[in-house]
Amino acid sequence: MSIDKEESVKKLFTAESAKVDTNKGDAFYDELYIQCQKRIEDLRKLEPLNNRMDFTKSIEEQGLERRDFLKWASATTAMMMLPASFTPLVAEAAVLMNRVPVIWVELQDCAGNSEALLRSDGPQIDEIILDIISLEFHETLQAASGHQAEKQMDEAMEHFHGKYLLFVEGSIPMGMDGQYGTIGAKAETFHEHLLRAASGAAAVVAVGSCATYGGIPAAAPNPTDAVGVMDVIKGKPVINIPACPANPSNMVGVLLHFVLTGTIPELDSLLRPKFAFGYRIHDNCERRAHFDAGEFVEEWGDEGAKNNFCLYKMGCKGPMTFNNCSIIRYNEGVNWPIGVGRGCIGCSEPDFWDKYAYERPMANAHIKAPTGGVEKTVDEFGLGLLTAASIGIGIHAAASAVAGKKAEGGQY
Amino acid sequence: MTETAEEHGFHKTDANGNKHIIVDPITRIEGHLRIEAVIDSNNKIVDAFSSSTMFRGIETILKGRDPRDCGLMAMRICGVCTGTHYQRSIEAVEDAFNITIPKNARLVRNLIQGSLYVHDHLVHFYHLHALDFVDVVAATKADPAATAAEAAKWAKVAGVAPYTSDPAEFKVIQDRIIKFVKEGRLGIFGNGYWGNPHYKLTPEQNLIGVAHYLKALDIQRDMAKMQAIFGGKNPHPQSIVVGGVTCVQDIQNPARIGLFKQLLQDSTEFIKRAYLPDIYMAGTMYADEATDKDATFKGVGGTGGGILSYMSYGDFRLDDTGFYNSALLFPSGVVLDGDISKAFDLDETKITEDVTHSWYEGTGAPEHPYEGTTIPKYTGLKEGEDGYKYLKTDEKYSWIKSPLYDGKKVEVGPLARMVVGYVKGDERIQKYVGNFLKRANLPITVLFSTVGRTAARAIETELMADVMLEWVDELAKNAASGDLSTWTDFDFDVVSADSKGRALSEAPRGSLGHWVKIKDGKVENYQAVVPSTWNAGPRGPNGEVGAYEGSLIGTKVADPEQPLEIIRTVHSFDPCIACAVHVVDTKGKELAVYKVDPTCAF
């Protein structure tokens, strides 16, 4: 790895842009509150785009309590890193989400993000489809095929010109003049299809690792010259929601933020919403205490594994990965990769397939300590925190430095 | 003339008066698929071509990597059958390393995989396929009280209490749909083939379908949770490693196993009391299509019957004797040409892939996957005078290769598993298939049709849900006995020096094989032959038609402008096209130069 690349990665971990400011002061939030109120008033004046029922009515009809809805709104407010006083506004915005049309296109994808959307629980997918958003085009879900499908998209683009959010799943193959992927009777390339779909969008939301940074098709040697949306779309807001797949809560969060404020959320230098990608996995990991205590899983299924010890030595990339999965988890909070005893593979970071997605630890990654601004290696960082537990950290530092066991065959 | 054709969904009329239809995109599938069909003046499909229009190159990307990391990447071949590719890839490496995994690991993998089966089949039927049978708009005309009675009627056929029996509940759903249909844009239901004469359900039956479509959106989230309990998340689980599984804390925690069991029981309720009755309902209403009146399909089966040859690699190990010695839930085997009097044993050396009609450079003969090459040779489409692009069907016309078994095209999937198991005399499969046919009052040959393919998937779902309950109890019992072993140790340096392995088993969509060659601790060659490659592949070297193409030819369409029958039959296979196109080598890139930096990036 070249010095340049190492420098750029170090810069990424220490970038100001990754720092999330959870309290921006009363003046900031007062102003935002007024902005949101005005936005909601404006939306109220609009007819729903499709005259669908509103969210509250829908949940009442399904026998859910208003209290449950507010509970959801409260949790979502916290997820978006807004003060609790915003909860009623978030609830209002959710009710008005059917004013925002969505067109969802699939390029070099595996449908994993569409599948993830189907797992959305807050709000639930049937509400999303029928009541909440105006989902105008979605190949995996829509009834029409063939020219009827093409017409559906053309009409939606025209009808909602300048208003719709374009969600993009999958990377864009740029090799061979884009012909690695075509769609429709005229065999439009994915590149052309994306440019056309984006032309009338208010903003473009790239969902999942492929759409954000190229993902698996772009892994070395990148056979099709695949790239992410932000490499192709210029002159229009692009929001990246990486991860493989993206967490549906973050998809809803971005959508809701747009409804609530009329603007896109604050983004980091990689165009990720800070509310979701402002922390490292490591910062909020349930196994963090074991890292600090120098207690590690040393091989799959050992005593450490049975005791939920830290997975760093088994290759966990939580310390260098920015995402909120350690907070919100997956599938309605049922589990997440570290919960299941397999370390983080860094799927919300660029090039993670070549940098992180392997079973061994990174011995020399320089990361910024969450408790201070000082850049340290993971081992130094562990030492700094663990002045007392000298035995534990001794094991940690020694073993991590040589990257573990003989099984790795002296690769390190 | 051109404009009219475009408006009407067929893009040219040839000298014989045949209409040439392009259906692209085929929606409600995974991936990018194009079907072109030729329809004669009697509205009969006389020719059909299946083409995939996207690829990524994952096998190439796997070359040079550590074999232990392949599972995570191979899984990304697909976001739907994701856990299956994960497991197959890990198993191919385990086969190469000669590793037998512990009992807990086998049971957990079976449960992760089983969860995927029930989830995938349910989502497929309701969300990807049902709209080919259920007319959403017609549901607005239903009488809710009569709907409840209708639901009770089909539940009775299935021998259960109906899942939804309250007219008021149907009324609420109907009101929701009425608003949707009458007042606004239809969103994802927009521009469907509503009102097509080949929608055969009554308004009440359509309302049942819509109600269960919505309920199934709910249930599938629970089914995905089952996979997440032992898999970490869904899609793209993360707990399977070479040698075993990592989720030891979920195995040793009775509350986790209890939650799994609860979710499974809730899911099973829906499968038995909604999914199966709906299949009896649809099967009965579409029964005339499941008989071969015109003898198009060799006198057995019916519309969409296709090539009538079936293959299963077999799957779900039931004991811990290791690879290819264990008893299996689904037997392996081959049934040929609709002859259900005998099944042949599977001979994996007879599996080859041909590229005569695929956008790859051929070596002259079909190749076994261990020796498989993939050198692209894209020859594009032909632009017509009407501005549309047509497949060059005499030459190469798809990114999907054309797999053959002993030189023949075979169909894979739930229907193939049920047929092979039934003919081989598997007791469990005979019981579930027999029970279904008895209740529906139909012979086994009706399964050889579009409707039958859909029914076979439902039969398998019920079987799977029941057997998973046995497995989860077995896991709880084993963990309670103090066995918490989840991983088998191996000396990587020794076993990865020079070896090869394969995993041959089943995905929800059919037979899935991963083949890996390993040298000096790195992947030397990697090939996957997936279910949709078998079913969706183009013509073979001597013009042999694949399962999609064969099942479309002979089908009568009600209205060529609305090719409902085409998407219905194609959907009955549950296409997974990203899976089918994962191969590519590229010119202009020297693969030898590429190496994964073992210190990884820094």
Side-chain angles (χ1 to χ4, degrees):
Chain A
M1 183 56 56
S2 70
I3 299 293
D4 283 356
K5 186 93 179 218
E6 182 165 348
E7 284 305 313
S8 74
V9 172
K10 266 206 270 183
K11 203 169 149 193
L12 170 66
F13 288 130
T14 54
E16 258 317 287
S17 75
K19 193 177 156 199
V20 64
D21 201 352
T22 47
N23 189 356
K24 299 180 180 188
D26 290 347
F28 174 86
Y29 291 111
D30 288 350
E31 196 182 319
L32 183 65
Y33 198 91
I34 292 162
Q35 182 193 332
C36 293
Q37 272 181 322
K38 189 171 173 308
R39 163 80 172 168
I40 285 170
E41 279 314 305
D42 288 347
L43 283 177
R44 275 197 176 289
K45 286 179 207 147
L46 292 174
E47 280 295 300
L49 287 171
N50 44 26
N51 294 320
R52 289 178 199 163
M53 282 181 291
D54 69 34
F55 188 23
T56 40
K57 197 165 171 203
S58 138
I59 58 167
E60 276 161 19
E61 279 171 359
Q62 287 175 49
L64 294 173
E65 298 285 335
R66 173 103 189 138
R67 199 181 51 209
D68 291 333
F69 174 52
L70 285 177
K71 218 162 99 187
W72 170 79
S74 163
T76 305
T77 306
M79 190 193 82
M80 293 197 296
M81 293 187 179
L82 294 171
S85 59
F86 277 66
T87 300
L89 286 182
V90 169
E92 289 278 328
V95 169
L96 295 167
M97 268 161 76
N98 62 358
R99 269 72 164 173
V100 178
V102 167
I103 293 176
W104 179 299
V105 297
E106 294 176 58
L107 305 174
Q108 263 182 319
D109 72 319
C110 73
N113 296 287
S114 291
E115 287 281 329
L117 178 72
L118 277 173
R119 316 288 183 269
S120 172
D121 66 312
Q124 294 180 4
I125 184 65
D126 58 325
E127 296 159 348
I128 289 178
I129 293 172
L130 286 186
D131 307 322
I132 297 171
I133 61 174
S134 164
L135 188 59
E136 295 299 324
F137 184 88
H138 190 299
E139 277 192 34
T140 303
L141 293 171
Q142 74 190 51
S145 275
H147 78 108
Q148 282 94 348
E150 296 196 81
K151 194 171 162 206
Q152 176 80 356
M153 174 147 150
D154 293 345
E155 280 184 357
M157 281 176 56
E158 194 184 323
H159 192 81
F160 300 118
H161 188 85
K163 293 181 188 163
Y164 62 88
L165 289 181
L166 177 70
F167 278 67
V168 183
E169 176 176 15
S171 49
I172 305 105
M174 301 301 281
M176 204 172 65
D177 293 331
Q179 292 182 96
Y180 286 121
T182 65
I183 188 168
K186 290 184 176 168
E188 188 175 37
T189 67
F190 287 173
H191 186 203
E192 294 162 344
H193 187 67
L194 172 64
L195 293 180
R196 191 164 61 86
S199 62
V204 183
V205 186
V207 182
S209 296
C210 296
T212 49
Y213 316 124
I216 187 115
N222 192 353
T224 59
D225 288 329
V227 298
V229 170
M230 66 179 176
D231 298 315
V232 168
I233 298 295
K234 305 290 172 197
K236 195 160 288 257
V238 174
I239 304 156
N240 282 334
I241 313 178
C244 187
N247 199 313
S249 300
N250 293 335
M251 301 181 203
V252 171
V254 165
L255 191 55
L256 199 51
H257 191 282
F258 184 75
V259 178
L260 177 66
T261 64
T263 59
I264 62 170
E266 192 185 352
L267 307 177
D268 70 9
S269 61
L270 291 167
L271 307 184
R272 302 178 293 196
K274 284 191 180 181
F275 72 75
F277 300 93
Y279 292 106
R280 274 171 292 259
I281 302 281
H282 193 61
D283 300 342
N284 299 290
C285 181
E286 65 202 14
R287 299 189 184 213
R288 175 55 186 271
H290 294 295
F291 176 87
D292 294 348
E295 295 170 338
F296 297 93
V297 177
E298 304 278 347
E299 68 177 27
W300 303 124
D302 68 3
E303 284 307 305
K306 286 173 189 145
N307 288 295
N308 303 341
F309 283 1
C310 175
L311 293 159
Y312 172 71
K313 286 187 178 177
M314 298 309 290
C316 181
K317 308 304 185 297
M320 49 288 286
T321 303
F322 290 83
N323 206 339
N324 56 357
C325 22
S326 47
I327 305 169
I328 59 176
R329 302 172 158 221
Y330 285 87
N331 302 91
E332 301 179 51
V334 162
N335 219 337
W336 66 304
I338 289 171
V340 86
R342 178 68 179 271
C344 168
I345 61 170
C347 71
S348 49
E349 299 302 322
D351 305 329
F352 73 99
W353 288 117
D354 296 327
K355 291 194 319 203
Y356 296 155
Y358 52 87
E359 233 181 63
R360 276 80 47 208
M362 288 172 68
N364 65 342
H366 284 67
I367 63 164
K368 190 185 63 159
T371 47
V374 188
E375 191 180 300
K376 294 171 175 176
T377 67
V378 176
D379 291 322
E380 287 164 345
F381 167 51
L383 276 169
L385 282 182
L386 280 166
T387 48
S390 56
I391 297 172
I393 200 58
I395 296 166
H396 170 206
S400 294
V402 297
K405 317 184 301 150
K406 162 177 141 308
E408 269 72 46
Q411 289 174 342
Y412 295 88
Chain B
M1 208 44 211
T2 303
E3 207 177 300
T4 319
E6 177 186 341
E7 212 169 273
H8 290 184
F10 46 88
H11 299 304
K12 71 177 180 193
T13 304
D14 68 19
N16 304 320
N18 292 334
K19 299 177 181 78
H20 288 236
I21 283 190
I22 302 171
V23 193
D24 184 355
I26 298 270
T27 59
R28 280 183 282 127
I29 63 164
E30 197 298 308
H32 299 271
L33 177 69
R34 157 186 286 236
I35 298 289
E36 288 189 19
V38 182
I39 301 178
D40 72 9
S41 50
N42 296 316
N43 282 356
K44 195 168 154 180
I45 298 173
V46 291
D47 215 348
F49 302 92
S50 160
S51 168
S52 166
T53 59
M54 182 276 275
F55 69 58
R56 294 168 294 166
I58 291 177
E59 284 158 326
T60 301
I61 290 164
L62 289 173
K63 280 189 187 177
R65 309 247 173 196
D66 187 308
R68 290 169 294 185
D69 302 331
C70 287
L72 289 172
M73 306 188 79
M75 166 164 48
R76 268 69 183 187
I77 285 174
C78 182
V80 181
C81 24
T82 146
T84 318
H85 285 289
Y86 187 22
Q87 198 167 316
R88 291 310 155 247
S89 181
I90 297 279
E91 284 172 357
V93 175
E94 284 167 350
D95 181 41
F97 292 177
N98 199 19
I99 294 168
T100 300
I101 60 171
K103 182 174 186 171
N104 284 326
R106 172 180 61 85
L107 287 168
V108 161
R109 288 185 189 183
N110 279 1
L111 288 172
I112 290 175
Q113 189 71 333
S115 307
L116 176 71
Y117 268 63
V118 295
H119 180 274
D120 201 47
H121 287 353
L122 188 88
V123 168
H124 173 260
F125 177 66
Y126 284 104
H127 308 120
L128 307 183
H129 198 17
L131 300 182
D132 307 330
F133 297 103
V134 173
D135 186 331
V136 176
V137 175
T140 59
K141 301 188 199 92
D143 169 43
T147 305
E150 185 72 16
K153 180 177 136 192
W154 295 108
K156 197 176 165 196
V157 171
V160 292
Y163 195 81
T164 313
S165 56
D166 183 1
E169 230 176 291
F170 284 114
K171 178 80 170 53
V172 167
I173 290 156
Q174 190 185 31
D175 286 348
R176 220 171 156 192
I177 297 299
I178 286 173
K179 285 211 170 190
F180 201 81
V181 169
K182 279 191 179 169
E183 294 175 19
R185 295 175 58 84
L186 275 167
I188 58 163
F189 301 117
N191 244 354
Y193 303 138
W194 316 127
N196 184 290
H198 273 186
Y199 278 116
K200 292 183 180 172
L201 303 185
T202 66
E204 285 72 25
Q205 292 171 338
N206 283 312
L207 182 54
I208 294 170
V210 172
H212 289 164
Y213 175 104
L214 293 174
K215 188 65 200 171
L217 283 170
D218 218 15
I219 298 293
Q220 60 88 25
R221 283 187 299 114
D222 278 352
M223 290 170 161
K225 273 189 239 171
M226 287 196 285
Q227 201 183 60
I229 287 173
F230 296 121
K233 66 184 167 69
N234 166 284
H236 299 324
Q238 204 158 313
S239 62
I240 302 175
V241 290
V242 173
V245 295
T246 63
C247 54
V248 58
Q249 69 155 321
D250 300 293
I251 295 167
Q252 68 186 345
N253 182 350
R256 300 296 276 175
I257 295 179
L259 176 61
F260 186 99
K261 197 168 169 177
Q262 184 59 52
L263 291 165
L264 176 60
Q265 282 166 336
D266 293 348
S267 303
T268 306
E269 281 286 286
F270 188 81
I271 291 164
K272 288 182 190 284
R273 291 171 53 197
Y275 185 11
L276 281 160
D278 288 354
I279 292 291
Y280 285 112
M281 177 174 86
T284 305
M285 298 306 286
Y286 287 88
D288 63 328
E289 295 188 10
T291 52
D292 192 13
K293 293 186 294 286
D294 305 330
T296 307
F297 300 102
K298 305 176 192 172
V300 283
T303 302
I307 56 177
L308 303 174
S309 290
Y310 304 96
M311 180 181 77
S312 167
Y313 290 164
D315 199 9
F316 290 103
R317 279 180 266 171
L318 300 177
D319 60 51
D320 298 298
T321 48
F323 284 97
Y324 309 107
N325 296 316
S326 169
L328 296 173
L329 178 68
F330 300 128
S332 72
V334 183
V335 170
L336 295 173
D337 300 318
D339 178 1
I340 56 168
S341 69
K342 54 179 181 285
F344 301 91
D345 286 339
L346 182 83
D347 177 355
E348 59 178 278
T349 63
K350 291 181 175 172
I351 298 164
T352 57
E353 287 196 292
D354 175 74
V355 296
T356 305
H357 293 284
S358 310
W359 285 313
Y360 302 100
E361 201 86 64
T363 53
E367 296 166 328
H368 186 272
Y370 269 139
E371 315 304 333
T373 60
T374 41
I375 307 151
K377 187 184 178 183
Y378 185 67
T379 48
L381 279 64
K382 178 174 57 191
E383 188 155 350
E385 286 169 13
D386 50 14
Y388 291 89
K389 288 187 181 159
Y390 295 87
L391 299 172
K392 297 176 185 170
T393 52
D394 292 339
E395 308 166 22
K396 295 175 182 287
Y397 65 90
S398 179
W399 284 113
I400 301 180
K401 290 186 188 175
S402 179
L404 300 160
Y405 179 80
D406 201 13
K408 286 176 84 81
K409 289 274 193 179
V410 291
E411 174 179 337
V412 298
L415 173 57
R417 283 193 288 269
M418 292 300 107
V419 170
V420 169
Y422 193 92
V423 174
K424 277 203 144 182
D426 180 88
E427 268 180 44
R428 199 187 312 242
I429 289 173
Q430 286 201 334
K431 185 181 123 192
Y432 279 81
V433 173
N435 181 44
F436 180 89
L437 295 170
K438 199 173 138 205
R439 287 185 180 279
N441 197 24
L442 293 166
I444 187 168
T445 48
V446 300
L447 293 180
F448 302 157
S449 65
T450 292
V451 178
R453 196 172 287 118
T454 300
R457 186 174 289 110
I459 296 167
E460 182 177 271
T461 310
E462 185 186 26
L463 184 160
M464 199 50 143
D466 287 345
V467 80
M468 277 167 69
L469 202 59
E470 296 171 22
W471 291 340
V472 76
D473 284 341
E474 203 180 338
L475 179 67
K477 202 174 144 197
N478 195 50
S481 78
D483 175 12
L484 290 177
S485 148
T486 50
W487 186 66
T488 301
D489 199 3
F490 55 92
D491 188 335
F492 182 77
D493 292 345
V494 174
V495 295
S496 70
D498 189 2
S499 62
K500 61 179 187 179
R502 83 295 194 209
L504 295 185
S505 49
E506 296 285 308
R509 290 164 177 77
S511 304
L512 171 64
H514 281 229
W515 285 261
V516 64
K517 277 184 169 177
I518 297 160
K519 189 126 203 223
D520 300 332
K522 302 281 180 214
V523 172
E524 191 182 38
N525 196 22
Y526 202 104
Q527 292 280 311
V529 183
V530 313
S532 294
T533 316
W534 288 98
N535 291 338
R539 302 285 201 267
N542 302 308
E544 301 89 344
V545 291
Y548 287 10
E549 294 177 343
S551 64
L552 290 172
I553 295 168
T555 298
K556 213 158 181 183
V557 299
D559 177 0
E561 295 161 23
Q562 293 190 341
L564 172 65
E565 299 80 358
I566 291 179
I567 62 165
R568 179 186 290 157
T569 288
V570 169
H571 282 158
S572 74
F573 289 93
D574 195 1
C576 202
I577 304 304
C579 283
V581 182
H582 43 273
V583 286
V584 61
D585 237 327
T586 55
K587 44 192 170 186
K589 294 223 181 217
E590 278 187 68
L591 295 177
V593 172
Y594 162 66
K595 287 190 192 77
V596 175
D597 180 351
T599 61
C600 275
F602 291 95

